[in-house]
Amino acid sequence: MRTRQRGGLLEWAFVLYGRLAEVSTLDQVIARARDGSGGAVVLRGEAGVGKTALLDAVTVRGGAMRVLRATGVEAEADLAFATLHQVLWPVIGSLDALPEPQHDAVRAALGLAAGTAGDRYLLGAGVFSLLAEAAAPDGLICVVDDFQWVDRASADALLFAARRLETEKIAMLFAVRGDAPVKGVPLTVEVRGLPGPAAAEMLESRCDVQSGVARELVTLTRANPLALGEIAARLTPAQLAGREPLPDPLPGGARLFGDRVAALSASAGLLALVAALEADLDLVLRATDRLSAERTALPGEDTGTWTGRMALAELEESGLAEISGARVRFRHPLIRSAVHEAATPAGIRRVYAVLAEITEGDRRAWHLAGAAIGQDERAAAELVAAAELARDRGGYGTAAAALARAAELTAEPRARAARLKDAAVAAWLGGRPGQAESLLAEARDQVGVDAGLAMEIAQLRGRFELNSGNAAEAVRILAAGDSLEMLADAVEAASYVGDTAAIIELGRRAAAHREGFLRDTVAGIGLSLDGDAAGPGLLRRALARVGELGEAAEYLWAAAAASQLGESDLATEMAERAGRVARVSGMTGQLPVVLEFVATAERIAGRLASSQAVSEEGLELAREACYENTVAAHLANLAVLAALRGEEETCERRAREALAIAIPHRVGLRAGVAAYALALLDLCLGRYAPAHDRFTAIAAAGPGVGHPTVVWRTAPDRVEAAVGAGDEVAARAALEAYERWSAYAATPESRALLARCRGLVESSEAAFGEALRLHTNPFEAARTALLLGERLRRTQRPGEARTHLRMAWETFERAGARPWARRAQAELRAAGESGQAPSSAVLDALTPQELRIAGLVADGLSSKQIAAQLFLSPRTVEYHLYKIYPKLGVGSRTELARLVVLQKAPVGEEDML
C-alpha cells in the first residue's frame, strides 16, 4: 500500500500491496450482502500485518452501503457494552422499529433505560434487528477492529447477529489478533506477511532502498508491513543503500515504540499513561490536570486545563495517538503496550486512583480495582454493583469478569466464595461453561463451614453437569441435598440418565416435604415407578393444579407427570405451554432446554415441519450456550424426523452425532431417542428383522445408554416390528409391558395405541376398529388404518380395504412420511385402486420457518410480535412473508391467515420422544 509520514509514524493509504486474494474474499462477502445474502468474516493476523488497512480499503468499495465501525479498546475491555455503543449509537434513531422486548433490551444495554432481568437472546435479537433496520435500503457493512479487546457483552451480542445474516443485506467484518476466538463465524481470512515482491515494492515506494537490503529487511521482519515501514524510517541513507550494515537488533517493534514514548515530555508521557488506562477524552484531560498539579504545581498555582491540552497536542504531533470523536486512540495497540511498560506499578495505581475520583458506575469500579493494593472491600463492593448492572442489561460475560475480580479483592472467605459462585452463574448464563466450572471449583474450595452456601454451590455444580457434562455425575452431586428444589433437580438428572432406582429413592425423599405441585409431581413419579398405588394419585393431584402454574419449568414438570401416567397427548400440550411461556418471559439461559421439549411435543402432535424448525432453532441456541446435552437432544429429534421422511443418510448422521455426545455423557434419554431413530428408520423402510433387533436392544439398554420412557413410548413400534419379523413371543411380551405402563392412562389417544397393539398381536379387526374410533392423532390413525387395510386386503376384502388405505395414503403424503406413503400406495394398488396421488397440501410448499411464520400470522400476530417470539428482526419476518405470498398465491396477511386456517389440519406424528 502507499504510505505517508506523520510525526515519524507511517499512515497507509488505500493502495494495497500483495493483498489481491484477501481483498477478493472480502469483496465477495460485501457483494453477496449487497444482494441480500449477508455474512460475516474474520480477519486474523499478528500485530502490524495490515488488518486495519484491509478493512479501510474494502469498506470504501461498498458503494452506497452504509458503514458502521467500532474498535475494541483494551482499557474498556471490562466495561459492558462499550463497543456496542460505538456500533449502534449512529443508528439509535431506528430503535422504535424494533419489537418491544428487543427495543427494551437494547435501550437497557446502551444505558438509555434501567434493566431488569437481562436476556442475552433478546438483546442479541435486538442488535440483529437494529442492524437490519440500518441496512435499509442499500445495505450495511459493520466493521469491528481489534475484536480481541471488545468487551464480552458486546462480543456476545454482535456475534449473535453475525450468525443470522443469511437473508440480510449486512456484511460484518471482524479483525482480531492472534488466536482470540470469534465464535460461530466460519469464514476466516488469514492475514500474513506480504509476498516478497510486494513487500519490496512497498519499501521502494517509501524510500530509496537497495534491492539486497530490501530483501534482507523483508526476511528479518517476515514481511510485516508495519515493521518494514517503521524500521525503514529509522535507518540511515547509508544503511538503506547497503553501504553500512543494518543495526543488530533492528530498531523495530516494541523497542522502537518504547524509544518514542521515552522521548515524550513528562506531561505528554503522563497524558499517554492516562490514555492507556482510560479512553474518554474529557476524563483523560481532567485526570492529567489533577496529576500534573500534584507533581508540578506550586502552592496557590493553578495550571487549569492548559497542561492537559498542551500535552495532548504534543502526543498528537508525535504521531503516537489521535483524537477520534470524544476518545483518545493510539495509532497502534503496541504503542499502548509501550506506554504501559514504561510506567512504574505505583504510577499506574496512582493514575487509576485519580480516574476513580472523577468517574462513576462501572468505570469507577474498575479504576478502583486497578488502584487497589491487595484486598480492598470498597473496590470489591463497587465491582459487585457494576456486575449487577451488567447482568440486568444482559451482559453476563462482563458480570462474570467483575465478580471474579471482586472475589480476588475480598478478604472474608465466605463472601469470597459467594462472589465466586455468582461469577460462575454469570459465566454460565453468558455461554462460557469452562470458565463457570473453574470459578465454581474455586468457590467450593473457599466455602468453609457454611453448609447453606455449600449446598447452593453443589446444586449449581449439578446443574452445570446436567446441561453439559456427565448426567450420572449430576445425579450423584444433586442427590446429596435435602431441599425439595435440589431433590427435583436430582430427579430430573436421574430421568436424563434413565436411572429408575435413583428416581424411586429420590421420590420417596421428596414425599417427606410439604404438599404442593412440585412435591406431588416428584414424589408421584418416584412412587409410580416403584409400583406404589399412591403415585398416580399424586400425579393426578399435581395435574389438577395446572391452572395455577405460570413458569415454563412448572409446565415441563406437568408434562413429566402426564408422561408418567402414559398420557403422551397431555404431556405434549404441557410442553407446548412451556414453550409459549418461555418465549414471552425470556427464560435466560434455559430457552434451548425448553425447546428440547417443545420440539418433541410438536413431533408427537404431528407437526413435522414445526418440530424441525424448533429443533433447528434449539440446536443453534444450544451450541451458542455450549449446552452439549441439549445439543444431543435436538440432534436426536432431528434424526427421528429424518427417519419419518425416509432420509437414511441424514437420519444416520444426526443419530451418530447425538450418540457421540449422549453416551459418554450418560444421557440415556437422548441416547435412547437416537437409537430409536435408527430403529424407526428400519421400520419405516419395511426392514422388520433389523428393526426388531434394534427395538430389542433399546428395551435391554441400561441407564446412561437407554431409557425406560423411550422403551414405553416406542412400544407400539416395537410390537409392529416384532409382528413383522414373525416373533410372536416378543410381540406379546412387548404388549404386556405396554399394558402395565398404560394402566393409569385415561386419554383417548393412549387407549387407541393400546388397542392397535392388541390388534397386531391378537390379529383382531375389532381391536383395530376400536383404535380408529379412539384416535385423536391423525397420523396414528393413518398407521392403524394402514395396518387394518393390509389385513382386509389379504383376507380378500379389497373393497373394505381401499377406504382405509386411501385415508392412510393421503395422511402420510400430507405429513411428508414418504416410506409409509409408498407402502400405503402399493397396498392400495394391490387392492385394485390406482387413483391419482393426493394433491399436496398448499402449505407443503413452505419451509419449516415459513410455516411457523404463517401460523403466527394466522394467530393474529404482527411482524414485530413474530420477530420477538422467534428472535428475528421484523425485516426478516417481512422477507419471509415476501416469499410466502407467491408460493401460496395470496397477496395479503388477511388472505394468508384465512388460507392457513382452512388448510392447516392437524396431522399427527408418531407417538415418540
Side-chain angles (χ1 to χ4, degrees), residues 68-72 83-87 142-146 150 158:
L68 295 176
R69 186 156 191 165
T71 300
T83 303
L84 203 62
H85 266 274
Q86 294 183 56
V87 175
C142 180
V143 175
V144 184
D145 203 354
D146 284 331
V150 170
L158 290 168

Side-chain angles (χ1 to χ4, degrees), residues 122-353:
L122 280 178
L123 174 59
V127 171
F128 172 50
S129 294
L130 192 53
L131 293 177
E133 290 296 324
D138 299 313
L140 171 70
I141 303 173
C142 180
V143 175
V144 184
D145 203 354
D146 284 331
F147 189 79
Q148 71 275 5
W149 288 319
V150 170
D151 62 276
R152 296 169 178 84
S154 296
D156 288 343
L158 290 168
L159 290 176
F160 184 98
R163 290 186 286 266
R164 291 163 171 80
L165 301 177
E166 294 86 355
T167 62
E168 304 298 331
K169 299 173 74 172
I170 302 172
M172 296 187 76
L173 315 180
F174 300 96
V176 62
R177 186 196 300 182
D179 57 358
V182 185
K183 188 176 177 182
V185 180
L187 179 58
T188 297
V189 174
E190 295 289 346
V191 185
R192 299 184 173 88
L194 296 172
E201 182 184 358
M202 189 200 76
L203 269 180
E204 291 165 3
S205 74
R206 170 65 183 89
C207 57
D208 187 9
V209 59
Q210 193 262 345
S211 60
V213 173
R215 287 194 300 272
E216 186 175 0
L217 288 173
V218 168
T219 301
L220 291 173
T221 61
R222 294 185 300 176
N224 181 293
L226 177 65
L228 274 171
E230 293 298 328
I231 291 168
R234 288 307 196 195
L235 297 178
T236 67
Q239 289 169 334
L240 289 171
R243 295 191 300 271
E244 294 180 4
L246 294 175
D248 185 14
L250 289 173
R255 178 170 174 264
L256 172 64
F257 288 133
D259 293 343
R260 294 179 58 72
V261 169
L264 295 170
S265 70
S267 294
L270 178 60
L271 184 138
L273 178 58
V274 177
L277 305 178
E278 170 59 67
D280 183 271
L281 174 60
D282 179 61
L283 294 174
V284 168
L285 292 173
R286 290 166 60 195
T288 301
D289 290 341
R290 288 200 184 193
L291 290 161
S292 296
E294 286 179 6
R295 183 173 49 82
T296 62
L298 297 172
E301 181 183 4
D302 182 8
T303 59
T305 60
W306 183 87
T307 301
R309 292 189 180 278
M310 291 298 294
L312 179 62
E314 179 185 338
L315 186 63
E316 284 188 283
E317 185 59 30
S318 75
L320 295 173
E322 63 182 359
I323 304 304
S324 177
R327 306 161 71 81
V328 181
R329 187 172 74 88
F330 290 107
R331 287 187 171 272
H332 195 277
L334 291 178
I335 300 173
R336 180 185 185 276
S337 299
V339 170
H340 206 278
E341 290 170 7
T344 65
I348 292 171
R349 287 195 299 270
R350 182 57 195 151
V351 172
Y352 271 128

Side-chain angles (χ1 to χ4, degrees), residues 45 54 73 240 269 352 751 768 832 858 887 898 903:
L54 273 168
V73 178
L240 289 171
Y352 271 128
R751 300 201 307 273
F768 282 125
K887 284 185 178 183
R898 185 182 301 117
Q903 293 287 326

Side-chain angles (χ1 to χ4, degrees), residues 580-630:
R580 289 194 293 271
V581 170
R583 287 195 182 280
V584 297
S585 65
M587 280 185 65
T588 302
Q590 288 305 305
L591 184 60
V593 179
V594 174
L595 292 182
E596 291 180 35
F597 299 93
V598 176
T600 295
E602 291 293 284
R603 174 165 53 80
I604 290 173
R607 293 182 281 272
L608 196 71
S610 179
S611 179
Q612 181 87 15
V614 172
S615 256
E616 288 173 352
E617 177 190 10
L619 180 61
E620 184 174 39
L621 293 176
R623 283 175 168 159
E624 289 177 348
C626 299
Y627 288 5
E628 286 298 304
N629 296 339
T630 299

Side-chain angles (χ1 to χ4, degrees), residues 88-109:
L88 298 184
W89 201 254
V91 295
I92 205 70
S94 299
L95 262 178
D96 288 343
L98 272 59
E100 184 175 352
Q102 297 179 12
H103 170 275
D104 293 346
V106 175
R107 279 180 56 83

